[in-house]
Every structure is written in C-alpha cells, then in structure tokens.
Amino acid sequence: MNNYDAIVIGAGNGGLTAATTLQRGGCRTLLLEKHNIPGGCATSFVRGNYEFEVALHQLSGLGTEKKPFIMRKIFTDLGVMEKVEFVQEGELYRIVVPGEFDITLPASWKGLKTVLKAEFLAEQDNIDVFLNLCEQISMESFMALPRARKIGSDEVLKSSCPTFIKYGLVSAKDVLDEFFNDKKIKTVLAAYWCYLGLPPSQIAFSDLAVMIYAYAAFKPWHIKGGSQAMSSALLESFLEAGGDVRFNCAADKILTTTNTDHTSEVKAVRTEHGEVLSCKAVISNASSVLTYNELLDTGQPPVSVQQDFKSREIGTSAFVLYLGLDCTPQTLGITSASNFICSTMDEELMHEQMNKLEPPVATMLTCYNFDDPSFAPEGKSQVSLLCLQYGELWNDVPPDKYAETKYALADKLIEQAEQVFPNIRDNIEEVEVATPLTMMRYLNTPGGSIYGFKQNAQDSNLFRDRIDAVEGLYLAGCWNGMGGFQPTYMAGESAARAVIKQLKQKETANV
Amino acid sequence: MSNTVNPKNNADSTYNVLNSIVGYQEAVADKAQWEKDGSDLIELKGSVDVTVATLHPKRLTLEVSKVIEETPSTKTIRFISTGAPLPPFQAGQYINLFVDIDGVSTARPYAISSACDEKNYYDLTIKRVTDGFVSNHLLDNVSQGQQFLSTGPMGTFYYNPLFHGEDLVFLAGGSGVAPAITMLKDILSRGSKYSFHMIYCNSYIDDLIFINELRSLAEQYPQFRLTEVVSRPPANFEGFKGHLSADLIRNTLGSIENKLFYVCGPTPFNDYCIGQLKSIGVPNKRIRLEANGAPKNPQQLSDWPTTIDAEEVMVTVTGRGSFKAKIGEPLLNSLERNGYSVENACRSGECSLCRVKVISGNVFNPPEAHLRKSDKTFGWVHSCVAYPTEDIEILF
C-alpha cells in the first residue's frame, strides 16, 4: 500500500506512541524507522551475558495500582499495559558529595519529608513549606493551569493557580535560596536538574517542583527487559491494530504541495529507497532541526520555524559508561538504584564543566538490578555511569584521537564513582562507552542532544504554540516540549490526537 | 460564542492570561531578544551526517591495492579507500566485506591485520577453509584494482584500556593471528610497561602467518613473548609440539593473576581454549573471545528440537514474497541467496544488525544469538544465527 492517512517518521518513544494512537484511532498509519529496531534511545544492547539499558533511568508518571497516574492510563489506552512489567524503585536517589554529605531520599512523599527533616534539623519548618509548595505547584500544573489557559481567563488563573503565579516561573535556584539557608539541602533537593540538563539558575522552579513531587508521590520505575521491552510492546500493539512498519527505511523527504494561498501542505513522504508514499499527515519523531532543515522539501524552513529556532539552543548530550560488573550491588556498596555523585555543591560549576572535555564534577550512577535482580546475570550487576556533556565539544576531537579521548574521560568517571563505590574497575566484565557522538549516531540529533533544545523556561509550551507552518506536519518527541521518557511518550500521543482531530475535520468539511 | 478560546487564534489573549505569572513577561522579553540575536540553526544542516560518517561511515568504498601471498593457504589483501579517508579503528576490530558471488550478494567479516596507525590502507588476512564460500572466492579471484564495499570498522574484540590491564595474553589459532598482530603492534606502541604474550597455534609449520615478523618483533621487544605451538611439526621444529593445553598455558605463563586472555581462532579452537583457561581458574571477566561465525551444525546442539523431520521450510517475508530454505542453514544466508538484502556485520550473533521480527512460526536460536530479553517475548531474532524449524513469516 502506498497511500496512508498518516506517516510517522522515526520509531522513538514519541513515534511509537504517535503511530499506535493513530492506528488504534482508525487512521491507516505507516511507521518508518531507519534502524532495524523500534525504540530510538528507548533500547538496550547485549554484551556478553549482560543486557544494558541505554537511556531509561527512572520512568515517571506511572503511579501505583492503588494510586495510578497518567502514564498508566496512556499505556492502557495504547494496549501495552499487559505486555510489560514494571519494577518500582524504593528510593528517589542517593546523593553524595564526599566530605560533605551522603543522603538517600525515599520514594515516598511522607518519607521524603521525614528524612529531610531528620537530616536538616535547622531547616525543619522550611522543609514543610517548601514541599507543600512543590505539591501545590504540581497540582496546579496538572489541572488548573491548563484549564485556565483553555478558558483564557485571567480571573480563573488567579483564583486557581496562586502558587504557580508566584513561583512557577521563578528560577529553581531563587526559590531554593528563598526557603533554605543550608547549601547542602539546596543541593540535595536540586539533584533532579540533571534530568533537565540545565542548572537550577536556568530552569523554571515548576519543572523541578513537579519532578520532586511526582517522583515521590507516583514513584520512579524501571521496566522489565528495559525500555526496549516497552518499545517492542508499543510496536506489537501498533501491528495488532493493523499498522504498517518499515525498518531499515529512513524518510528522505517530506513532500509538500503549495496551496493557492502560498501555504504548504504535506502530501507524501519519500523514503531513502526512493519510494513515494502519499499521506494526509506526517508526524516527525526526528529532531525539529532535521525535520525542517533537511526532511522538508521546501528548501528552507518556514519563517515561523526559523523564528522559533532563533530563540532555541541545542541542549546537552551525555557521556555514558555501560558497565557489566562481576559482583552484586551489595558488594559494591550500592544502597539505592539511582545515585548522584558530585565533587562540589555548586551546580553552576557542574554545568560549566559540561562544556569542557575534562573530568566531570557530577556523575550519575544507576544500578538496574538493585530493585530487581533479574536485570543482571546472577551475582552480577548492570550499572550505567554517566555525566551530562554538550556534544559540540567532540567536534574538535580528531578522529584518530577519538578512542583515546573517550577512554581517558571514561577513566575519570570511574575514578569519581569509586570515591563512593570502590572496586568498580576490578569487577568490570563488560564495558561499553558512549560519547555524545554515539548519541548523535543513534539519535540523529544535532550535538547528540538527548533532551532536545535547552530546557529553560522559554522552552516550555507556555511560550510556544505548536508550529503549524506546514499543514499536516506535526512533531513528536522532545524538540517541541520537554525531554525524557514520560514527556516524549505523551508528546507522541498528543500529536496523534491532534492529527486524528484534523483528519476528522477535513473529512467532515469534504462531506 | 463558545467560552472556549482557541489559543492559536487568540494568542494575545492567552498571553495576557499568563502575564500575571511572576516572571512571565520578562521571559517573553528575553525570548524576543533571542529571536533577534539567535541563529536560525541553518548552519546545522547536514552536520550530523558529516560528523557521524567521519567515525562510523555506513559503507567504505575500497579498492584492492595489493595482494600479498603469506603462506600457501593464506593471502593478505590490501584495501585503499576510493572515497573518504579510512576511519580509525581499535586494534582487533573487523570490517564486513560485501561480495557478489555467482549472483548472490553476501558478506563476511574479517579482522583488520594492518596496524592502527597505518592510515592509508586496511589489510585483511584470509586463510583458505574447507567449503569456504567467500574466503576461497576471495583467495582465488581477487586481484589488484578490484572494487569492494564494506562496513566501517566494528566489533567489541579489542584492547580496552579501562580494564584489560597491562599483562596481556593472546591465544591465536590459525588466521586468528590477524587481530593479534594488530593488537600486538598497538600494545607495543603504548610503551614498555605492557607485556604481550602470544601463544600461536597451528597444525602445520607451513600455516604460520606473519611468523618472520612476529619472531623479529619478539627479538626486538622484551615485553613481547611469542610461543609457537604446532600440532604436526617437522622434526627440527623448535616450538611446542602438539596441542595447546592447560598445562602448557600454566607452565608458559607462570601465574595467571591479573592477566587478560584474548582468544581468537576457529570455533573448535575457541571452545577448547575457553575450557582450558577456566580449568586453570581464569575468571570469565579476564577472557575476551572473538565470535567466529554461525554454528555449522545446529542440529547437533543439545537444544535443537528433536521433532523436526522436514528438510525444507517456507520463509515468507511480509509484503515481499517467500522462498524455501534448508533446515540447518542460517536464515540470513537463505535470505541472501534468494535476493533479500539484510544489513549485517558480525554474522556471529553479536552485532544485532541483521535483526528481523518473526511474525509466525518457530526459529531455533543457538547460544551464539546474543538476544535481548524482550526479543524473546516479541519474536526478534538475529537472522545470521537463526534457524527456522518450521514455516515462518518474518518482518524487516
């Protein structure tokens, strides 16, 4: 078949939820993927007896069976809830600044409060106020704010979002400074900035607050079989609904027609093999930069896109070691699946270091078999050790110095992690090192970006409308919203809903 | 009028709504400023492809610049690039060489036997094997000036400075010396604190590839020790006669502590070496094994289903066609013979480039298939080591 309602470009998280939503929503959908496997970064790879999770650290938004949250509904709607198993993490994270503190936060809203109060006696009252603020802002962000925007009423906004109005767009740093005196608790509470890629001074407080609240209240999760299991389950669901998929088949061009009013409209996609497949809508899970600069056949991106790009910057990539260790998590001294290890409490410095090809001052270590031993061979451990890093740095590394540079930096990461978990190196059985260029190779993103554009306040949809310069062209993924698993799963789903709505409107108009 | 305002058509009113949020107007002003000063990112056009291709080109365009007779059974074929400069590789890695033989498009991976710092060419050292479809074709037909395509350098069998240490032992069987000599040269270039001990095993003295170069390097560099083992040597042979054994390894090396063992040779040699190393207490994490092709006789493996009596199965490729395949032949090979092209590289179950999804029917996956846990749930297989045991439908 060469004629579809919709074509989805890329089978990453956003592409998979988009395609599945479309097909289950009655649109004849083709999913194109240049690799031979669904998932994009939501994948895993095998070395020896180990299977390594590539990208998922803590899945958010799922909630428990008793207290479900939005992802549980979305996964149910997508028909994958029965196809995968989730593993709940017991802790949010352990954060260690050697010589300063070593604190583990439980994955429980009440427990979080108790632990923080016990650790920071002088800040007890502030902790109450601050955590209430996080909860309030989260509630307002989930429900009241979207409602007030939809209604378009200033009154409603003021009456239903008082906390968001006061603190939502203030920088996370300013809010932490307002409520706390002790630098240590500020560093402890700000740790999730790593999931956004910008330091607390550059992110909106609401983004940090929602992460703290949502992870604690709805728990962080792993997926059995890794994120690849979810990617494969989504594909399965898409195929069961009658969708068509082509692997090893990149989109080469999005073909458009120009209407009489000089607007363009999607009409087809040409594959790398030269086939032209017609469609009424395209959802691109490729980066917006690639979509508009290279895939779109108009030669130059539409003016509104150029304008949008001017206020964006390419976000961070990551440098990751995937370690198969010949010992148990207990032997390594691991007491929480997720760990932040920092040699400073200064997040600005941590961020500056992300712009240098030098040993990082902040690393994250995830042990996947800590909460469920099935994530590694018996008696062994699956660990990822990473630091955020801007990909641009690697452009200047000559190809013949690449391996050397990569190993030198990897060595420093191990050294830093060994300050908290000695004996990592002695237990290495398998190791694979991924640099920002590896991310670029597999994600096809500028700078190897893993979260899309820099996620400052202006990156959010409070400041951006959906780019609709080309009729029928939609984006899914992290380039028109937040990065990470939950946001990209959701972005694909909502792009698909918009397409279904548009196609229905067109149909009605044509009747 | 509906009380629902479409934000797109009423952007101003939406923005007015949000204006009461502290910091909103300032943020809008900042964004407006960036729109004046920022780049439209058009400079990024094509940048990802160019950067990635420098390190990991999908295909290399190669030309044979020289064919070197190494032994009566072995030749080294030297390839230069007719396109972009050859990408760097890690000592021990291979390229997958694409060939057309009698109308069949296939490929085989060969370890690069030239040194990493040799930027102008890759050498592939190829030994004649009984019934070797591609190797024997190359040995018999390749001459200077012929053109080939290959993958970029690949594979996980190489010296890894993060944990391999400084005390290295390479058990090389036959043409397994190809990655060994590259690794040796790489290690020697790293300085004298490293030691490299090669135990080089062959059946006949005529088979010793690179032997003069190896002996001369052993004389020149005290950190390199060469132990030659020949199972059927002439009377005057000075190395070890017979087969490699645990005793021989232990006696030659003394302590095994902190040593890292590389094993590369024909599959029976590899299996044997692993057994011998384990018997003297070498832990898994100190052994690196190079995969070496699909199992030749999967029917003889213990997990092979006993109920099969058919000799052929029907393979259907979703939306494309179907063909008959022999039981016991890797799916990738029968696909290629029937004109289906599947990306591939290691052809040994590891690299996963040849994955296909089994829609229906059963496939036997030997231990060589390094599948993900979810692959088993959702029917993905590595076609290079997947053996259909009944009629199947696949998607790729």
Side-chain angles (χ1 to χ4, degrees):
Chain A
M1 190 169 71
N2 289 331
N3 187 355
Y4 293 92
D5 290 328
I7 295 179
V8 177
I9 298 173
N13 286 338
L16 284 166
T17 56
T20 308
T21 305
L22 285 166
Q23 187 67 37
R24 286 169 72 93
C27 294
R28 287 169 304 120
T29 305
L30 171 67
L31 175 59
L32 296 177
E33 168 55 47
K34 76 184 263 185
H35 200 21
N36 64 9
I37 178 177
C41 71
T43 190
S44 57
F45 63 91
V46 174
R47 291 287 179 272
N49 296 321
Y50 298 84
E51 178 171 350
F52 294 101
E53 166 66 52
V54 166
L56 176 59
H57 290 270
Q58 302 190 292
L59 178 66
S60 60
L62 194 65
T64 58
E65 271 178 45
K66 274 188 186 162
K67 192 182 170 190
F69 200 45
I70 188 162
M71 287 316 294
R72 214 168 266 268
K73 177 177 184 324
I74 290 180
F75 287 142
T76 304
D77 290 348
L78 291 165
V80 292
M81 224 31 217
E82 305 303 312
K83 293 183 167 72
V84 287
E85 279 181 71
F86 298 96
V87 176
Q88 190 184 322
E89 284 179 66
E91 292 75 31
L92 293 185
Y93 52 81
R94 174 181 175 190
I95 176 165
V96 188
V97 180
E100 295 288 347
F101 61 80
D102 179 346
I103 293 170
T104 303
L105 302 183
S108 141
W109 191 235
K110 270 189 197 160
L112 175 64
K113 200 172 273 192
T114 312
V115 166
L116 286 171
K117 284 183 166 181
E119 291 280 350
F120 300 99
L121 297 174
E123 301 275 15
Q124 288 198 338
D125 294 342
N126 300 335
I127 289 166
D128 274 327
V129 179
F130 179 85
L131 290 181
N132 282 341
L133 193 64
C134 290
E135 183 172 7
Q136 280 310 313
I137 283 213
S138 301
M139 291 306 168
E140 291 175 12
S141 300
F142 298 152
M143 303 290 290
L145 182 65
R147 186 170 159 270
R149 289 184 75 195
K150 198 172 175 190
I151 297 170
S153 158
D154 191 39
E155 297 294 303
V156 174
L157 184 82
K158 281 180 178 155
S159 62
S160 65
C161 304
T163 320
F164 197 97
I165 287 180
K166 196 166 174 198
Y167 291 107
L169 291 181
V170 178
S171 82
K173 179 178 188 303
D174 286 352
V175 178
L176 287 163
D177 284 344
E178 181 180 330
F179 287 93
F180 299 110
N181 302 309
D182 189 340
K183 176 59 194 146
K184 289 178 189 172
I185 190 171
K186 293 189 234 181
T187 300
V188 169
L189 283 167
Y192 274 144
W193 73 265
C194 292
Y195 288 179
L196 294 170
L198 286 178
S201 64
Q202 294 184 44
I203 53 174
F205 173 64
S206 55
D207 287 340
L208 179 65
V210 168
M211 276 198 290
I212 294 172
Y213 175 72
Y215 272 124
F218 303 112
K219 318 298 178 190
W221 299 82
H222 288 149
I223 300 172
K224 274 209 183 197
S227 55
Q228 180 64 61
M230 178 58 81
S231 304
S232 296
L234 285 164
L235 179 80
E236 202 71 14
S237 192
F238 172 66
L239 293 174
E240 281 167 7
D244 281 354
V245 64
R246 297 193 194 182
F247 290 102
N248 309 294
C249 186
D252 176 48
K253 277 281 177 257
I254 298 167
L255 306 177
T256 59
T257 47
T258 309
N259 296 325
T260 44
D261 61 354
H262 303 293
T263 58
S264 335
E265 184 177 349
V266 161
K267 66 166 183 190
V269 171
R270 190 174 71 214
T271 70
E272 64 174 319
H273 309 300
E275 254 182 301
V276 174
L277 307 158
S278 67
C279 60
K280 297 171 195 151
V282 166
I283 297 183
S284 175
N285 189 203
S287 73
S288 57
V289 180
L290 180 80
T291 303
Y292 288 106
N293 269 355
E294 299 182 45
L295 292 179
L296 196 62
D297 69 347
T298 50
Q300 212 175 16
V303 175
S304 60
V305 173
Q306 293 176 348
Q307 192 72 358
D308 181 76
F309 284 176
K310 283 181 184 172
S311 61
R312 308 272 204 178
E313 280 182 278
I314 303 300
T316 186
S317 186
F319 183 93
V320 193
L321 273 75
Y322 301 96
L323 294 156
L325 303 177
D326 183 25
C327 62
T328 63
Q330 289 68 35
T331 313
L332 284 167
I334 287 175
T335 53
S336 161
S338 302
N339 303 270
F340 297 102
I341 304 157
C342 314
S343 46
T344 171
M345 288 191 281
D346 182 351
E347 291 89 3
E348 294 301 318
L349 189 67
M350 298 180 203
H351 182 245
E352 278 168 33
Q353 207 69 5
M354 286 160 54
N355 263 312
K356 295 176 190 164
L357 263 182
E358 285 175 14
V361 291
T363 57
M364 184 183 173
L365 182 145
T366 304
C367 177
Y368 289 92
N369 55 313
F370 177 71
D371 290 293
D372 182 332
S374 77
F375 283 65
E378 202 183 335
K380 306 192 178 205
S381 295
Q382 185 209 148
V383 165
S384 94
L385 178 61
L386 76 74
C387 66
L388 296 176
Q389 194 176 57
Y390 287 99
E392 225 180 38
L393 298 169
W394 289 80
N395 290 345
D396 302 329
V397 177
D400 60 346
K401 294 278 177 235
Y402 176 71
E404 190 184 320
T405 310
K406 171 173 103 167
Y407 291 125
L409 195 60
D411 206 67
K412 296 294 177 193
L413 251 78
I414 294 174
E415 256 175 41
Q416 195 183 27
E418 284 195 324
Q419 291 179 19
V420 179
F421 305 109
N423 304 323
I424 289 178
R425 193 187 306 267
D426 286 347
N427 285 295
I428 297 178
E429 186 167 354
E430 295 290 341
V431 58
E432 197 64 55
V433 186
T435 72
L437 295 184
T438 316
M439 305 300 163
M440 187 189 284
R441 179 184 182 194
Y442 287 105
L443 303 183
N444 212 5
T445 57
S449 170
I450 55 171
Y451 300 141
F453 291 118
K454 278 189 184 174
Q455 303 191 63
N456 49 27
Q458 288 89 341
D459 192 56
S460 87
N461 70 3
L462 290 181
F463 297 87
R464 315 260 171 189
D465 289 331
R466 186 181 82 74
I467 292 171
D468 56 0
V470 177
E471 197 183 330
L473 177 56
Y474 294 74
L475 292 174
C478 59
W479 292 83
N480 203 26
M482 215 182 212
F485 274 68
Q486 182 189 351
T488 50
Y489 284 135
M490 290 177 68
E493 195 254 4
S494 81
R497 297 219 171 279
V499 168
I500 292 170
K501 197 171 155 193
Q502 190 214 18
L503 294 184
K504 279 211 176 114
Q505 277 170 358
K506 265 193 170 176
E507 224 168 83
T508 319
N510 289 339
V511 169
Chain B
M1 276 286 287
S2 146
N3 66 349
T4 307
V5 176
N6 182 343
K8 202 178 79 186
N9 299 329
N10 293 274
D12 290 346
S13 67
T14 316
Y15 284 13
N16 285 339
V17 170
L18 298 175
N19 273 345
S20 48
I21 299 172
V22 172
Y24 185 77
Q25 294 180 61
E26 292 84 340
V28 169
D30 283 348
K31 181 169 166 264
Q33 191 57 46
W34 299 336
E35 283 171 358
K36 282 192 191 133
D37 305 340
S39 159
D40 60 7
L41 304 180
I42 199 75
E43 74 276 8
L44 294 174
K45 195 170 182 169
S47 68
V48 169
D49 286 348
V50 169
T51 308
V52 170
T54 314
L55 286 169
H56 300 290
K58 192 164 182 192
R59 290 288 181 271
L60 306 177
T61 52
L62 303 173
E63 183 178 300
V64 176
S65 71
K66 199 174 180 182
V67 179
I68 303 156
E69 196 106 1
E70 300 286 359
T71 72
S73 61
T74 304
K75 287 176 183 172
T76 290
I77 306 176
R78 181 160 294 172
F79 293 90
I80 54 169
S81 171
T82 58
L86 294 170
F89 65 98
Q90 299 184 70
Q93 287 191 305
Y94 66 85
I95 58 171
N96 192 34
L97 192 70
F98 294 92
V99 289
D100 287 305
I101 305 172
D102 304 332
V104 176
S105 297
T106 183
R108 291 294 182 274
Y110 295 103
I112 303 170
S113 59
S114 46
C116 293
D117 52 12
E118 179 49 71
K119 308 257 193 293
N120 295 320
Y121 57 80
Y122 293 156
D123 283 345
L124 303 183
T125 298
I126 298 166
K127 187 176 176 181
R128 190 172 295 278
V129 278
T130 315
D131 301 329
F133 183 51
V134 178
S135 291
N136 296 353
H137 165 83
L138 291 170
L139 289 168
D140 295 337
N141 297 299
V142 164
S143 58
Q144 197 182 338
Q146 285 180 356
Q147 312 266 325
F148 287 88
L149 287 177
S150 79
T151 64
M154 306 194 50
T156 56
F157 184 75
Y158 51 76
Y159 175 73
N160 188 320
L162 293 176
F163 72 110
H164 288 193
E166 295 162 6
D167 199 351
L168 314 169
V169 182
F170 199 120
L171 310 182
S175 62
V177 73
I181 196 165
T182 305
M183 230 186 257
L184 166 66
K185 287 174 183 170
D186 178 51
I187 294 301
L188 293 177
S189 76
R190 287 172 190 261
S192 58
K193 69 172 180 173
Y194 292 87
S195 90
F196 195 94
H197 189 152
M198 189 191 300
I199 302 180
Y200 184 19
C201 307
N202 281 282
S203 300
Y204 301 99
I205 198 154
D206 281 353
D207 291 337
L208 298 174
I209 310 163
F210 303 138
I211 196 62
N212 293 333
E213 188 176 4
L214 289 172
R215 285 174 185 159
S216 114
L217 286 168
E219 272 178 27
Q220 200 183 334
Y221 291 94
Q223 69 266 41
F224 172 42
R225 256 184 87 192
L226 175 66
T227 302
E228 298 172 39
V229 182
V230 175
S231 54
R232 294 171 206 174
N236 62 349
F237 179 64
E238 288 180 0
F240 284 95
K241 296 167 193 175
H243 287 286
L244 181 67
S245 66
D247 280 345
L248 194 154
I249 296 171
R250 200 168 28 210
N251 295 338
T252 319
L253 299 179
S255 160
I256 56 161
E257 192 138 358
N258 293 326
K259 287 187 167 55
L260 195 287
F261 291 84
Y262 303 95
V263 178
C264 183
T267 305
F269 172 84
N270 290 349
D271 293 346
Y272 175 77
C273 285
I274 301 293
Q276 298 300 299
L277 289 173
K278 290 202 169 154
S279 77
I280 56 170
V282 180
N284 237 347
K285 66 180 174 186
R286 303 307 289 169
I287 304 172
R288 308 301 298 175
L289 171 70
E290 178 62 318
N292 194 349
K296 298 271 183 303
N297 298 300
Q299 295 97 326
Q300 291 167 13
L301 295 171
S302 59
D303 291 342
W304 181 265
T306 50
T307 50
I308 303 166
D309 45 13
E311 290 190 351
E312 281 186 332
V313 293
M314 187 66 84
V315 176
T316 303
V317 183
T318 304
R320 292 165 71 180
S322 55
F323 59 86
K324 281 189 174 163
K326 276 181 285 181
I327 292 271
E329 181 179 30
L331 181 56
L332 176 61
N333 295 26
S334 62
L335 281 164
E336 286 175 337
R337 223 183 12 226
N338 286 280
Y340 292 90
S341 156
V342 183
E343 185 66 14
N344 65 87
C346 79
R347 302 181 79 96
S348 307
E350 288 195 342
C351 79
S352 88
L353 285 183
C354 65
R355 294 172 105 237
V356 301
K357 182 170 161 68
V358 179
I359 303 288
S360 67
N362 269 319
V363 161
F364 174 73
N365 297 302
E368 278 83 353
H370 282 56
L371 295 173
R372 299 154 167 98
K373 285 199 187 77
S374 60
D375 289 340
K376 292 158 200 160
T377 317
F378 295 105
W380 293 87
V381 298
H382 295 176
S383 63
C384 68
V385 292
Y387 300 85
T389 55
E390 59 185 28
D391 292 352
I392 58 167
E393 181 178 345
I394 55 171
L395 170 78
F396 62 90

